[in-house]
Amino acid sequence: MAVYLLYESSSGYGLFEAHGLDEIGQNTEAVRSSVSDLSRFGRVVQLTAFHPSESALDALNQINAVSEGYMSDELRSFLELNLPKVKEGKKPKFSLGVSEPKIGSCIFEATKIPCQSNEFVHELLRGVRQHFDRFIKDLKPGDLEKAQLGLAHSYSRAKVKFNVNRVDNMVIQAIFLLDTLDKDINSFAMRVREWYSWHFPELVKIVNDNYLYARVSKMIEDKSKLSEEHIPMLTEVLGDEDKAREVVEAGKASMGSDLSPLDLINVQTFAQRVMDLADYRKKLYDYLVAKMNDIAPNLAALIGDMVGARLISHAGSLTNLAKCPSSTLQILGAEKALFRALKTRGNTPKYGLIFHSSFIGRASAKNKGRIARYLANKCSIASRIDCFADTSTTAFGEKLKEQVEERLDFYDKGVAPRKNVDVMKEVIENLEKKDEGEVKVVEASEKKKKKEKRKKEEKDEEEEEEEEEEEEEKSKKKKKKTKVVEEASTTDNGHSKKKKKKKTKSQDDE
């Protein structure tokens, strides 16, 4: 049986035929020993056809198709043109060796060409890769390396910049930074409380919030200077005039020790740092919400921005989360408890990170596991929609959230929930109606624009005609005036000549 080899290079597709395989008996070790020697390997493998890439973009498209296990039209026509035809009902007398089983199965389904991918074929392709520049005579030295380098750069760039707006790595970094900031702000705020409590210990009991405590300590500075004038400013910060008065009265009767100006400056500086960190934390949270709305809008609408971001971060990416079954997603974040339960043969955990959603807390104790399983199922659906949908919308996430609410009512009150098929059909119909409405609006706006353009053109034409008529009238008036002036000038000339004649006659008589 003849064996053909398909080699995908940066320069194009190469088809090779392996001869004399019976001599080496398809022994992998024998092939390995002959690969390094071109004189021996050239007797076994010979070039049958070569299809060069038209451009760098074409090479990138072809290698993307091969990596995804998809046969392009160019590859199909290349194989059908250069391989023997497969007759229906008869077993083919050849096989095609490929590097990846996925592309082999795709070729077999489309063209019925038998494909194989094993160690023997891989060793033959390794020899082809090693001596490829010797098989292609038109290649200049260095051309293959340049093509490989350019294709590698463009392929990596296309993978990294697949969609700039939907890079889930930004969400992972943001949620990690948020957790770090929460810990740091908490520890720093406790340090501010301890430090400033030496000077004003009564303030801790009055102001419980860490951020407000830092702001109040920064505003008060020295407690001995507190007076009635500070009440409006304290009211603006605390939001309560009674608390502001309480702070002023506590400052007057405080038991704390006095601090030197240098110590107060250091306390105020540190309090300002804590406030800046808290403000930055708010901005970072807004950024995370915006990114989640771009990357995973349905997951965020279903389970919340923070919990959704933690799920994506723990899975590694949105794609990995979409690949997880709902049973894995349910206990995501509780791996230690799971393996401990398996080791000790105890009860496995019912939930992991999804425990932080509001649905688990609202369910009764006996229904927590059931609602966790149902919520994990909906989260899995939402993550797959977000990962593989072409357009981003929150319609699916909102409907999935309604389903979870209905399931909670079913557990508590026994109200039968809707089926998932009916809900998804309703969402798809609504989206189609919206698209049709948008198309109609766009068409109506285009019609309006066309009408406005026509009106403008008609007005312009009318104005031009009016201007032309006015110019014609003006030109006619000018002609008339010129005629009148000419006639008047001619009459004036005649009179003057007669007068001159009379004068000359009178002069002659004299």
Side-chain angles (χ1 to χ4, degrees):
M1 179 183 283
V3 177
Y4 290 89
L5 302 172
L6 176 64
Y7 176 65
E8 309 92 1
S9 72
S10 56
S11 302
Y13 292 114
L15 188 66
F16 296 83
E17 185 178 1
H19 298 280
L21 295 179
D22 295 334
E23 297 176 4
I24 58 176
Q26 293 195 0
N27 188 358
T28 307
E29 293 296 331
V31 174
R32 277 193 195 126
S33 61
S34 65
V35 159
S36 57
D37 188 4
L38 180 61
S39 59
R40 292 180 61 191
F41 188 75
R43 297 172 191 169
V44 178
V45 178
Q46 293 181 356
L47 178 66
T48 302
F50 178 68
H51 176 70
S53 301
E54 296 178 358
S55 61
L57 182 61
D58 182 44
L60 179 62
N61 294 333
Q62 298 299 326
I63 205 68
N64 279 329
V66 170
S67 65
E68 293 172 4
Y70 168 71
M71 183 176 64
S72 60
D73 296 334
E74 290 84 355
L75 178 58
R76 180 170 184 169
S77 60
F78 173 66
L79 293 176
E80 290 178 347
L81 183 65
N82 296 289
L83 286 175
K85 293 183 179 180
V86 180
K87 297 181 180 179
E88 294 182 0
K90 291 186 178 181
K91 188 177 180 180
K93 297 181 180 180
F94 68 95
S95 65
L96 179 65
V98 294
S99 57
E100 290 292 333
K102 285 184 179 179
I103 189 71
S105 60
C106 183
I107 291 171
F108 179 73
E109 288 175 3
T111 61
K112 303 301 178 183
I113 296 172
C115 299
Q116 58 176 333
S117 178
N118 48 37
E119 289 187 10
F120 177 71
V121 171
H122 289 167
E123 289 298 327
L124 289 174
L125 288 173
R126 187 169 68 86
V128 171
R129 188 183 306 110
Q130 185 176 349
H131 306 292
F132 184 69
D133 54 343
R134 307 286 183 87
F135 286 108
I136 309 299
K137 296 179 181 179
D138 295 335
L139 279 177
K140 296 178 182 178
D143 287 351
L144 186 61
E145 288 77 7
K146 289 179 182 177
Q148 288 173 346
L149 184 63
L151 182 60
H153 279 239
S154 56
Y155 181 76
S156 303
R157 197 178 298 114
K159 286 293 180 184
V160 172
K161 293 186 177 180
F162 188 72
N163 191 342
V164 178
N165 295 323
R166 299 186 68 176
V167 179
D168 48 9
N169 187 37
M170 299 298 106
V171 170
I172 296 171
Q173 300 299 330
I175 194 65
F176 273 131
L177 185 54
L178 266 178
D179 292 338
T180 307
L181 279 177
D182 287 335
K183 293 177 183 176
D184 291 345
I185 290 170
N186 190 30
S187 59
F188 291 162
M190 292 303 295
R191 183 60 54 196
V192 170
R193 282 172 175 268
E194 289 184 17
W195 201 348
Y196 195 68
S197 292
W198 286 96
H199 180 61
F200 194 177
E202 294 81 7
L203 187 62
V204 176
K205 295 180 180 179
I206 301 171
V207 182
N208 297 319
D209 186 73
N210 291 332
Y211 180 69
L212 290 180
Y213 187 91
R215 288 188 66 184
V216 171
S217 63
K218 177 76 169 56
M219 184 181 295
I220 293 173
E221 294 183 358
D222 192 355
K223 65 176 181 179
S224 60
K225 297 179 181 178
L226 273 175
S227 62
E228 298 292 331
E229 297 176 357
H230 290 82
I231 291 177
M233 292 186 291
L234 290 171
T235 304
E236 186 180 351
V237 173
L238 296 172
D240 189 358
E241 188 176 354
D242 296 335
K243 274 192 176 182
R245 291 187 180 278
E246 190 177 352
V247 169
V248 173
E249 291 173 0
K252 292 177 181 178
S254 177
M255 297 294 292
S257 61
D258 294 333
L259 294 179
S260 65
L262 183 60
D263 295 335
L264 281 173
I265 288 171
N266 281 294
V267 173
Q268 306 309 315
T269 305
F270 188 52
Q272 184 63 45
R273 295 281 181 180
V274 174
M275 291 162 57
D276 294 340
L277 279 175
D279 293 335
Y280 174 65
R281 198 257 179 209
K282 292 178 183 177
K283 293 179 183 177
L284 186 64
Y285 175 74
D286 295 337
Y287 165 76
L288 178 63
V289 171
K291 291 301 290 184
M292 282 296 294
N293 289 331
D294 290 336
I295 295 167
N298 293 295
L299 186 63
L302 171 61
I303 203 170
D305 299 302
M306 294 291 289
V307 182
R310 290 184 197 282
L311 287 173
I312 293 172
S313 174
H314 200 83
S317 66
L318 182 62
T319 307
N320 292 344
L321 184 65
K323 291 176 182 177
C324 289
S326 59
S327 57
T328 304
L329 194 147
Q330 181 182 349
I331 58 170
L332 206 64
E335 289 84 2
K336 287 184 180 179
L338 174 66
F339 291 120
R340 184 172 61 248
L342 293 174
K343 188 176 181 180
T344 59
R345 295 183 180 180
N347 294 328
T348 55
K350 297 177 182 177
Y351 29 68
L353 290 170
I354 60 172
F355 175 75
H356 298 287
S357 68
S358 60
F359 300 111
I360 308 294
R362 288 163 53 191
S364 59
K366 65 177 182 180
N367 293 325
K368 283 186 184 295
R370 299 168 71 185
I371 198 66
R373 185 168 61 251
Y374 190 80
L375 180 60
N377 181 17
K378 298 305 172 187
C379 287
S380 180
I381 294 172
S383 62
R384 289 168 189 175
I385 292 171
D386 290 330
C387 184
F388 301 111
D390 295 330
T391 58
S392 62
T393 175
T394 59
F396 291 99
E398 291 169 357
K399 290 295 181 181
L400 291 171
K401 188 175 181 180
E402 289 179 6
Q403 282 186 284
V404 180
E405 296 282 357
E406 290 174 2
R407 181 65 60 162
L408 279 172
D409 293 338
F410 172 68
Y411 290 148
D412 294 337
K413 303 173 185 178
V415 181
R418 293 175 293 173
K419 290 184 178 180
N420 188 51
V421 178
D422 299 334
V423 175
M424 292 297 107
K425 283 182 180 178
E426 182 183 348
V427 176
I428 292 169
E429 288 174 0
N430 292 336
L431 289 176
E432 288 177 353
K433 287 179 182 178
K434 281 185 180 180
D435 293 337
E436 290 176 359
E438 289 176 358
V439 169
K440 288 180 181 179
V441 169
V442 171
E443 290 177 353
S445 62
E446 288 179 354
K447 287 181 180 179
K448 285 182 180 179
K449 287 179 181 179
K450 287 180 180 179
K451 286 181 180 179
E452 290 176 357
K453 284 183 179 179
R454 288 176 185 173
K455 288 180 180 179
K456 285 182 180 180
E457 289 176 357
E458 289 175 358
K459 286 181 179 180
D460 294 336
E461 289 177 357
E462 290 176 357
E463 289 177 357
E464 288 177 358
E465 289 177 357
E466 289 177 358
E467 289 177 358
E468 288 177 357
E469 289 177 358
E470 290 177 356
E471 288 178 357
E472 288 178 358
E473 289 178 357
K474 287 180 181 179
S475 60
K476 287 179 180 179
K477 288 179 180 179
K478 284 181 180 179
K479 286 179 181 179
K480 287 180 180 180
K481 286 182 179 179
T482 50
K483 284 181 179 180
V484 170
V485 170
E486 287 176 357
E487 289 176 356
S489 61
T490 51
T491 52
D492 291 340
N493 291 330
H495 287 299
S496 60
K497 284 179 181 179
K498 287 179 181 179
K499 287 179 181 178
K500 284 181 180 179
K501 285 180 180 179
K502 287 180 180 178
K503 285 181 179 178
T504 50
K505 285 181 181 180
S506 62
Q507 287 176 358
D508 294 335
D509 294 332
E510 289 176 356

